[in-house]
Amino acid sequence: MNQQSLTYILTASCPGRSGTVDVVTRFLREFGCYITELNSFDDSLNHRFFIRAVFRVEDNDPLDQTAFCTDFAERAKAFDMEWELTASDYRPKVVIMVSKYDHCLNDLLYRYRTGNLPVDIRAIISNHPDLQSLAQWHEIPYYHFPITAATKPEQEAQVQAVLDETGCELLVLARYMQVLSHEMCVRWAGKAINIHHSLLPGFKGAKPYHQAYNKGVKLVGATAHYVSDDLDEGPIITQGMETVNHTYYPADLARKGMDVESLTLARAIQYHVEKRVFLFNDKTVVFERS
Amino acid sequence: MNQQSLTYILTASCPGRSGTVDVVTRFLREFGCYITELNSFDDSLNHRFFIRAVFRVEDNDPLDQTAFCTDFAERAKAFDMEWELTASDYRPKVVIMVSKYDHCLNDLLYRYRTGNLPVDIRAIISNHPDLQSLAQWHEIPYYHFPITAATKPEQEAQVQAVLDETGCELLVLARYMQVLSHEMCVRWAGKAINIHHSLLPGFKGAKPYHQAYNKGVKLVGATAHYVSDDLDEGPIITQGMETVNHTYYPADLARKGMDVESLTLARAIQYHVEKRVFLFNDKTVVFERS
Amino acid sequence: MNQQSLTYILTASCPGRSGTVDVVTRFLREFGCYITELNSFDDSLNHRFFIRAVFRVEDNDPLDQTAFCTDFAERAKAFDMEWELTASDYRPKVVIMVSKYDHCLNDLLYRYRTGNLPVDIRAIISNHPDLQSLAQWHEIPYYHFPITAATKPEQEAQVQAVLDETGCELLVLARYMQVLSHEMCVRWAGKAINIHHSLLPGFKGAKPYHQAYNKGVKLVGATAHYVSDDLDEGPIITQGMETVNHTYYPADLARKGMDVESLTLARAIQYHVEKRVFLFNDKTVVFERS
Amino acid sequence: MNQQSLTYILTASCPGRSGTVDVVTRFLREFGCYITELNSFDDSLNHRFFIRAVFRVEDNDPLDQTAFCTDFAERAKAFDMEWELTASDYRPKVVIMVSKYDHCLNDLLYRYRTGNLPVDIRAIISNHPDLQSLAQWHEIPYYHFPITAATKPEQEAQVQAVLDETGCELLVLARYMQVLSHEMCVRWAGKAINIHHSLLPGFKGAKPYHQAYNKGVKLVGATAHYVSDDLDEGPIITQGMETVNHTYYPADLARKGMDVESLTLARAIQYHVEKRVFLFNDKTVVFERS
């Protein structure tokens, strides 16, 4: 068993009150855990506490996760804590949804293939057939589920069936050009990441690069956010940016934006999987990494 | 006469058509001018041509500006050209308007005092008395014109009187927390620069840092733009940006934003004075400098 | 014939003297060319002039390139001008050299496949077999030429044979971990681009990320430069940068650096192909695009 | 007593071993402290542990610092911990050394005057008289101690006398163009911050902007570092960066660099005073703030 697999991440969040840090760190100490990285933040406006600890067992043995969870649950209950234990080599099952643009998909698949995206991609779903061969080369199942206004409920049922079968834990909308239904949004709240091609909340809605062109902005960017029912309004995870000037027509802005979209989406997934992101009240706390 | 004073900038703009570049460059050649930097752009969507040439007279003598203008005017007429000749050591007369925040003002005065802001600051006008001593140390006249909803027309008349007396050519709103009247906006169109503390068009209106905090954005910024009648919607000259995270409460965002506001406003003034900015149809073409 | 194919780029460089701009723009005018973008710079320290004009023929017909070149050559001679005419849809023949790292190659091939890298990739050469299948999927010939200190001359002869056969116009070293011989460097001066994984001239030589880690830098970056005989010292085309902190061990720095290496190399190739880069005295003038 | 004054920062560092986090957090809990922000890092290559906790007393009463220190010292001893307790409203006594350039000094004084630099500036020392009036306006004592190779020991004795009299805790070299003696470097190790106008370790030594110009770099920057005996080689605290191009002659680079120097130095001081910086083995760990 390699060393990497012996590292764990404990994340927790609860109302802010005395003893929140101590209940976590004391437990880790008593359970024989060696903390290598720790971050906590107590939001004094929202009265909410967030903590993330990276640790290994002191003798580098595997952790008895069941015992850990049973024991910690008891202590956490008194603080009304939401918490999670994750082995740092755990690869959550991911389904990616796309339409025709392939820059984000290609980027994610490259990182995945080279071991630089810590997920387990189980399926790619699209409302178009175009990206099937890319999926095939990477040997990932590709589902083509066309959609129209009339067939949306059926299509979403097809999608949900794949998500169920694959045991999907994280849904990634990598330039999927359809709006998810209210039901889907609720069901996947906090577990679905979208990439929007603007610095939200600027340029919500359709054709953000055309909007940006019309405004003559000198910076364009992208926003990775959790999907919410309020279109293009979900909690922001991370944002990226590029400078532009007058020589960029809308198509040029779109082309330039592709790189920042890909990077921003990949970074959001990385942060999510590394348990750096906490969601509370439509906003996030992200213990980002420089 | 030092060498610096012998450099000139010719800027011109007209409908896009054949011969626009040639009419400028051929004239400069025939007039004995040595071009050191040249930029032109023909906007194919808006059918508009823009050009900026930096030059000196070939023998390093001063330019006969009167003859230059008379002769060039004739050629420019055929192209329906708007154009301007500027000695690069010309310092336009500037009036700065402020309220209570002094970070932008302090930054501009520092650059001005050390010869790094190529303007001639003739007056500072404020609706508050707070920044008078700062103005005094820099030996710049300070006018305190209080304003209320009721006295706005009178106050603006006072302001305009100062602008007239000083021969103001560029009006800089350095965190002036009042909205200019329609009449002022029209009168100073293209000659008044404002700094807004957000990445417009995101977070228009009041308290942008509070808005940014509520949205949980991961980037904040500032936008320098020409004042227009449409509040916080004027043509964008340049924008700046900083990364932020969850540890920034609104007051922290405001504090962090001060640096980027100062830098962005100073850069916009620099670009304007160096004749790098062209205004057309509510947008700008800026031959920026990296 | 589509409109894109009807655009051309004229670049020229010569000793700085009177009339350099005019000889170019007047000729373009007389030849019936419509300039859409023009940049010139007269380097007053090095007494060198550089110009780049993007244009189309006025009636959108194709350009008579032969006549253009014959006629312009005459005028250019008087100025001792080095110049080049390029159709903007021209795709120079490119050979990419790699070793085992595939992030730059993968990025270039993605851009190439989606029409976002304006080149014609004719071959991939490597001293290792590892990246063959990636090349195959993109249907590009892959040559595996192993190299040792003893076989270097033979290997370079093999390489040069491929460059000759393919008519290679631009050689791209996409993390090729071998030093080219003096002869190769001379032969490909100004036509071979390398990506170095540091902000040159900082961290020259081997293992720059280890060097960066040891120094505890807070920024890491990459430099795309023309290959020169002086290892890691060639003329810089463009540089990219990322922030890092203490949590980045050398392997983390290397991983984080991959994205900036890929972006920086792709941008350098783009600039080179768009004729934005001029080489003079071991330095470049780059009419970059924001 | 305002709320701000009731916040404290505990920082500690020791060899990495089991229980390091717990010894700190458990003590804080037992002492009735409410942690609002916590960061720890265990450097597995250097086997060193670093922690920073921001806290207040639970009932918002002031902390009994003497008792705190006495009690914590006992626990820390077992871990061979170096530690420090700091009231977050504590303003360390600072002396600034300058020569003739005033951009960093002006920036620091502005932040100081407006309450945005959490220090207590007790004196400004210069080897030139030029910046006296700036100091005067800010009502800070200014010492003019000329220096020559021959008088260096005497001059440094004068400097040290001021540092002693003022009780200086942090020495800031804000573009002081002299090299400190070995004795001074040793004496002020970890307590003296310098700003170097390049992205160290690139362009060490004199005239870095001339060096950068000669290399044709496309990025320039500044490095704030602790002064060490090895000139321009001290541990890096933070770095800043700007893009440049061929139109920047050395004087232009220097001018452009001024802003990034000022910002980078101010940020380094802020980080130092907020106890975000740990020094170990010629490198720093900085719990930076996005």
Side-chain angles (χ1 to χ4, degrees):
Chain A
M1 191 172 273
N2 71 25
Q3 191 171 358
Q4 198 61 23
S5 67
L6 296 168
T7 308
Y8 302 85
I9 304 167
L10 177 63
T11 49
S13 159
C14 66
R17 47 164 279 205
S18 296
T20 49
V21 170
D22 181 65
V23 74
V24 172
T25 53
R26 188 183 298 234
F27 177 82
L28 288 171
R29 175 70 178 134
E30 291 171 7
F31 212 85
C33 302
Y34 188 106
I35 299 173
T36 54
E37 208 176 335
L38 181 68
N39 294 286
S40 84
F41 178 65
D42 192 280
D43 183 331
S44 67
L45 281 185
N46 294 294
H47 306 292
R48 189 83 188 171
F49 167 77
F50 308 90
I51 192 166
R52 176 183 186 267
V54 184
F55 65 92
R56 51 180 168 77
V57 178
E58 284 187 14
D59 50 8
N60 263 334
D61 274 354
L63 181 71
D64 179 344
Q65 297 194 39
T66 310
F68 185 102
C69 290
T70 308
D71 292 5
F72 186 65
E74 201 145 328
R75 307 229 187 151
K77 206 192 315 181
F79 285 81
D80 202 14
M81 237 175 214
E82 298 168 16
W83 62 275
E84 212 166 356
L85 173 70
T86 313
S88 69
D89 65 349
Y90 183 71
R91 300 288 169 259
K93 295 175 191 66
V94 163
V95 172
I96 302 176
M97 296 187 76
V98 291
S99 291
K100 291 182 166 182
Y101 289 113
D102 68 350
H103 53 286
C104 285
L105 180 64
N106 183 72
D107 180 79
L108 294 178
L109 292 179
Y110 170 72
R111 292 175 198 273
Y112 177 57
R113 175 169 67 76
T114 55
N116 286 308
L117 192 74
V119 297
D120 176 10
I121 302 180
R122 302 302 284 261
I124 296 166
I125 300 174
S126 179
N127 54 331
H128 293 284
D130 306 54
L131 306 184
Q132 176 135 25
S133 76
L134 181 61
Q136 264 170 345
W137 192 71
H138 289 274
E139 300 179 352
I140 295 170
Y142 187 88
Y143 298 90
H144 173 212
F145 298 148
I147 187 169
T148 65
T151 65
K152 183 162 180 160
E154 290 79 359
Q155 196 255 15
E156 286 206 344
Q158 289 177 303
V159 170
Q160 185 59 49
V162 171
L163 301 181
D164 289 343
E165 283 158 28
T166 56
C168 176
E169 293 161 287
L170 175 65
L171 179 60
V172 174
L173 308 188
R175 299 296 307 272
Y176 178 63
M177 310 302 276
Q178 297 289 325
V179 178
L180 297 189
S181 68
H182 171 72
E183 290 69 30
M184 283 289 279
C185 289
V186 169
R187 191 166 189 167
W188 287 90
K191 293 178 294 183
I193 296 177
N194 182 46
I195 182 73
H196 184 82
H197 44 319
S198 85
L199 292 173
L200 289 175
F203 306 129
K204 281 185 258 184
K207 297 202 171 235
Y209 289 126
H210 281 80
Q211 294 182 54
Y213 175 79
N214 289 333
K215 284 292 176 196
V217 295
K218 308 305 182 192
L219 299 173
V220 294
T223 301
H225 62 95
Y226 286 118
V227 173
S228 83
D229 205 17
D230 194 352
L231 183 62
D232 294 336
E233 277 284 2
I236 295 171
I237 301 169
T238 185
Q239 301 186 293
M241 195 272 314
E242 287 284 345
T243 57
V244 294
N245 68 14
H246 58 275
T247 68
Y248 287 79
Y249 294 109
D252 302 308
L253 292 177
R255 214 157 18 234
K256 179 143 192 183
M258 286 180 179
D259 289 335
V260 71
E261 290 167 31
S262 301
L263 288 169
T264 303
L265 179 57
R267 190 167 59 238
I269 295 172
Q270 185 96 23
Y271 283 173
H272 176 91
V273 172
E274 292 176 354
K275 301 290 173 185
R276 295 178 180 278
V277 190
F278 297 80
L279 186 52
F280 183 68
N281 274 359
D282 284 337
K283 289 178 56 177
T284 63
V285 164
V286 183
F287 293 124
E288 78 275 17
R289 191 183 185 196
S290 192
Chain B
M1 191 172 274
N2 72 25
Q3 192 171 356
Q4 198 61 22
S5 67
L6 297 167
T7 308
Y8 302 85
I9 304 166
L10 177 64
T11 49
S13 160
C14 65
R17 47 163 280 202
S18 296
T20 49
V21 171
D22 181 66
V23 73
V24 171
T25 54
R26 188 182 298 235
F27 177 82
L28 288 171
R29 174 70 177 134
E30 290 171 6
F31 213 86
C33 301
Y34 187 107
I35 299 173
T36 54
E37 207 176 335
L38 181 69
N39 294 287
S40 84
F41 178 66
D42 191 279
D43 183 331
S44 67
L45 281 186
N46 294 295
H47 306 292
R48 189 82 188 171
F49 167 78
F50 308 90
I51 192 167
R52 176 182 185 267
V54 184
F55 65 93
R56 52 180 167 78
V57 178
E58 286 190 11
D59 52 7
N60 264 334
D61 274 353
L63 181 71
D64 180 344
Q65 298 194 38
T66 311
F68 184 102
C69 290
T70 308
D71 293 4
F72 186 66
E74 202 146 325
R75 307 227 188 151
K77 207 189 317 181
F79 285 80
D80 203 13
M81 235 173 216
E82 297 169 16
W83 61 276
E84 213 167 354
L85 174 70
T86 313
S88 69
D89 66 348
Y90 182 72
R91 300 288 168 260
K93 296 176 190 65
V94 164
V95 172
I96 301 175
M97 296 186 77
V98 291
S99 290
K100 289 180 165 184
Y101 289 114
D102 67 350
H103 53 285
C104 285
L105 179 65
N106 183 73
D107 179 79
L108 295 178
L109 292 179
Y110 171 71
R111 294 175 197 273
Y112 177 58
R113 175 169 66 75
T114 55
N116 286 309
L117 193 74
V119 296
D120 176 10
I121 302 179
R122 302 300 286 260
I124 296 165
I125 301 174
S126 179
N127 54 330
H128 294 284
D130 306 54
L131 307 184
Q132 175 133 25
S133 76
L134 181 61
Q136 264 171 347
W137 191 70
H138 288 274
E139 300 179 350
I140 294 170
Y142 186 90
Y143 298 90
H144 172 214
F145 299 148
I147 188 170
T148 65
T151 65
K152 183 161 180 163
E154 289 78 2
Q155 196 255 17
E156 286 206 342
Q158 290 177 303
V159 170
Q160 185 59 49
V162 172
L163 300 181
D164 290 343
E165 283 157 29
T166 56
C168 176
E169 294 161 286
L170 175 65
L171 179 59
V172 174
L173 308 189
R175 299 295 307 272
Y176 178 63
M177 310 303 276
Q178 297 289 323
V179 178
L180 297 189
S181 67
H182 171 72
E183 290 69 31
M184 284 289 280
C185 288
V186 169
R187 189 166 190 166
W188 287 91
K191 293 177 296 184
I193 296 176
N194 182 46
I195 182 74
H196 184 82
H197 43 318
S198 86
L199 291 173
L200 288 176
F203 306 129
K204 281 186 256 184
K207 297 201 170 236
Y209 290 125
H210 281 78
Q211 294 182 54
Y213 175 78
N214 289 332
K215 286 291 177 197
V217 294
K218 309 305 183 192
L219 299 173
V220 294
T223 302
H225 62 95
Y226 287 118
V227 173
S228 83
D229 204 15
D230 194 352
L231 184 61
D232 294 335
E233 277 282 5
I236 295 170
I237 301 170
T238 186
Q239 300 185 293
M241 195 271 314
E242 287 284 345
T243 57
V244 294
N245 67 15
H246 57 275
T247 68
Y248 287 79
Y249 295 109
D252 302 308
L253 292 177
R255 219 163 8 242
K256 178 143 193 183
M258 286 180 179
D259 289 334
V260 71
E261 291 166 30
S262 301
L263 287 169
T264 303
L265 179 57
R267 190 166 59 237
I269 296 172
Q270 185 96 23
Y271 283 174
H272 176 92
V273 173
E274 292 176 354
K275 301 290 172 185
R276 295 177 181 277
V277 189
F278 296 80
L279 186 52
F280 183 68
N281 273 359
D282 284 338
K283 288 178 56 176
T284 62
V285 164
V286 183
F287 292 124
E288 78 273 18
R289 192 183 184 196
S290 190
Chain C
M1 192 171 273
N2 70 26
Q3 189 171 358
Q4 199 61 22
S5 67
L6 297 168
T7 308
Y8 302 86
I9 303 167
L10 177 64
T11 51
S13 160
C14 65
R17 46 164 281 202
S18 296
T20 49
V21 170
D22 181 66
V23 74
V24 171
T25 52
R26 188 182 298 234
F27 177 82
L28 288 171
R29 175 70 177 131
E30 291 171 7
F31 213 85
C33 302
Y34 188 106
I35 299 173
T36 54
E37 207 175 335
L38 181 69
N39 294 286
S40 83
F41 178 66
D42 191 279
D43 183 330
S44 67
L45 281 185
N46 294 296
H47 306 292
R48 188 84 187 170
F49 167 78
F50 308 89
I51 193 167
R52 175 183 187 267
V54 184
F55 65 93
R56 51 179 169 80
V57 178
E58 284 186 13
D59 51 7
N60 264 334
D61 274 354
L63 182 71
D64 180 344
Q65 298 194 38
T66 311
F68 185 102
C69 290
T70 309
D71 292 4
F72 186 65
E74 201 145 327
R75 307 229 187 149
K77 205 190 317 181
F79 284 80
D80 203 14
M81 237 175 213
E82 298 168 16
W83 61 276
E84 213 167 355
L85 174 70
T86 312
S88 68
D89 65 349
Y90 182 72
R91 300 288 169 259
K93 295 175 189 66
V94 163
V95 172
I96 301 176
M97 297 186 75
V98 291
S99 291
K100 290 181 166 183
Y101 289 112
D102 68 349
H103 53 286
C104 285
L105 180 65
N106 184 73
D107 179 78
L108 294 178
L109 292 179
Y110 171 72
R111 292 175 198 274
Y112 177 57
R113 175 168 68 75
T114 54
N116 286 308
L117 193 74
V119 297
D120 175 10
I121 301 179
R122 303 302 283 261
I124 296 166
I125 300 174
S126 179
N127 54 331
H128 293 284
D130 306 54
L131 307 184
Q132 177 134 23
S133 75
L134 182 61
Q136 263 170 345
W137 191 71
H138 288 275
E139 300 179 351
I140 295 170
Y142 186 89
Y143 298 90
H144 172 213
F145 299 148
I147 188 169
T148 65
T151 64
K152 183 163 181 162
E154 290 79 0
Q155 196 255 15
E156 285 206 342
Q158 290 177 301
V159 169
Q160 185 59 48
V162 172
L163 301 180
D164 289 344
E165 283 157 30
T166 55
C168 176
E169 294 161 286
L170 175 65
L171 179 59
V172 174
L173 308 188
R175 297 299 305 274
Y176 179 63
M177 311 301 275
Q178 298 290 323
V179 178
L180 297 189
S181 68
H182 171 72
E183 289 69 30
M184 284 288 280
C185 288
V186 169
R187 190 165 190 167
W188 287 91
K191 293 177 295 184
I193 296 176
N194 183 47
I195 182 73
H196 184 82
H197 43 319
S198 85
L199 290 173
L200 289 175
F203 306 128
K204 282 186 257 184
K207 296 200 170 239
Y209 290 125
H210 281 79
Q211 294 182 54
Y213 175 78
N214 289 333
K215 286 292 176 195
V217 295
K218 309 303 183 192
L219 298 174
V220 294
T223 302
H225 63 95
Y226 286 119
V227 173
S228 83
D229 205 16
D230 194 353
L231 184 61
D232 294 335
E233 276 283 4
I236 296 170
I237 301 169
T238 186
Q239 301 185 292
M241 196 271 315
E242 287 283 346
T243 57
V244 293
N245 68 14
H246 57 274
T247 67
Y248 286 80
Y249 294 109
D252 302 308
L253 292 177
R255 212 152 25 231
K256 179 143 192 182
M258 286 179 179
D259 289 335
V260 71
E261 291 167 30
S262 301
L263 287 169
T264 303
L265 178 57
R267 189 166 61 238
I269 295 172
Q270 185 97 22
Y271 283 174
H272 177 91
V273 172
E274 293 176 354
K275 301 290 173 184
R276 295 178 180 277
V277 190
F278 297 80
L279 187 51
F280 183 68
N281 274 359
D282 284 338
K283 288 177 57 177
T284 62
V285 165
V286 183
F287 292 125
E288 78 275 20
R289 192 183 185 197
S290 191
Chain D
M1 190 172 275
N2 70 26
Q3 191 171 355
Q4 198 61 25
S5 67
L6 296 167
T7 308
Y8 302 86
I9 303 167
L10 177 64
T11 50
S13 160
C14 66
R17 45 163 282 203
S18 296
T20 50
V21 171
D22 181 66
V23 74
V24 171
T25 53
R26 188 182 299 233
F27 178 82
L28 288 170
R29 174 71 176 132
E30 291 171 6
F31 213 86
C33 302
Y34 188 107
I35 299 174
T36 55
E37 206 176 334
L38 181 70
N39 295 285
S40 83
F41 178 66
D42 191 280
D43 183 330
S44 67
L45 281 185
N46 294 295
H47 306 290
R48 188 82 188 169
F49 167 77
F50 308 90
I51 191 166
R52 175 181 186 268
V54 184
F55 65 93
R56 52 181 167 77
V57 178
E58 284 187 14
D59 52 7
N60 264 332
D61 273 354
L63 181 71
D64 179 345
Q65 298 195 36
T66 310
F68 184 103
C69 291
T70 308
D71 292 4
F72 186 67
E74 202 146 326
R75 308 229 186 148
K77 206 190 318 182
F79 286 81
D80 204 13
M81 238 175 213
E82 296 169 18
W83 62 276
E84 213 167 353
L85 174 70
T86 313
S88 69
D89 66 348
Y90 182 71
R91 299 288 169 260
K93 295 175 190 67
V94 163
V95 172
I96 302 176
M97 297 187 75
V98 291
S99 290
K100 289 180 165 183
Y101 289 112
D102 68 349
H103 54 285
C104 285
L105 180 64
N106 184 74
D107 179 78
L108 295 177
L109 292 178
Y110 170 71
R111 292 174 198 273
Y112 177 58
R113 175 169 66 76
T114 54
N116 286 308
L117 193 75
V119 297
D120 176 9
I121 301 179
R122 303 300 285 260
I124 296 165
I125 300 174
S126 179
N127 54 331
H128 294 284
D130 306 55
L131 307 185
Q132 176 134 25
S133 76
L134 182 60
Q136 264 170 344
W137 192 71
H138 288 274
E139 300 179 351
I140 295 170
Y142 185 90
Y143 299 89
H144 172 212
F145 298 149
I147 188 169
T148 66
T151 65
K152 184 162 180 163
E154 290 79 1
Q155 196 255 15
E156 285 206 342
Q158 290 177 302
V159 169
Q160 185 59 49
V162 172
L163 301 180
D164 290 343
E165 283 158 29
T166 56
C168 176
E169 294 160 285
L170 174 65
L171 179 59
V172 174
L173 308 188
R175 297 298 305 273
Y176 179 63
M177 311 302 275
Q178 299 289 323
V179 179
L180 297 189
S181 68
H182 170 73
E183 291 70 31
M184 283 289 280
C185 287
V186 170
R187 190 165 191 166
W188 287 91
K191 293 177 296 185
I193 295 176
N194 182 47
I195 182 73
H196 184 82
H197 42 321
S198 86
L199 291 173
L200 288 175
F203 307 129
K204 281 185 257 186
K207 296 200 171 237
Y209 290 125
H210 281 79
Q211 295 182 55
Y213 175 79
N214 289 333
K215 285 292 176 196
V217 296
K218 310 303 183 192
L219 298 174
V220 294
T223 302
H225 62 95
Y226 286 119
V227 173
S228 82
D229 205 16
D230 195 353
L231 184 61
D232 294 335
E233 278 283 3
I236 295 170
I237 301 169
T238 186
Q239 301 186 291
M241 195 271 315
E242 286 283 346
T243 57
V244 295
N245 67 14
H246 57 275
T247 67
Y248 286 79
Y249 295 109
D252 302 308
L253 292 176
R255 216 159 13 237
K256 180 143 193 185
M258 287 179 178
D259 288 335
V260 71
E261 291 167 30
S262 301
L263 287 168
T264 303
L265 178 57
R267 190 167 59 237
I269 296 172
Q270 186 96 23
Y271 283 174
H272 176 92
V273 172
E274 292 176 353
K275 301 289 174 185
R276 296 178 180 276
V277 190
F278 296 79
L279 186 53
F280 183 69
N281 274 359
D282 284 336
K283 288 177 58 177
T284 62
V285 164
V286 183
F287 293 124
E288 78 275 17
R289 192 182 184 197
S290 192

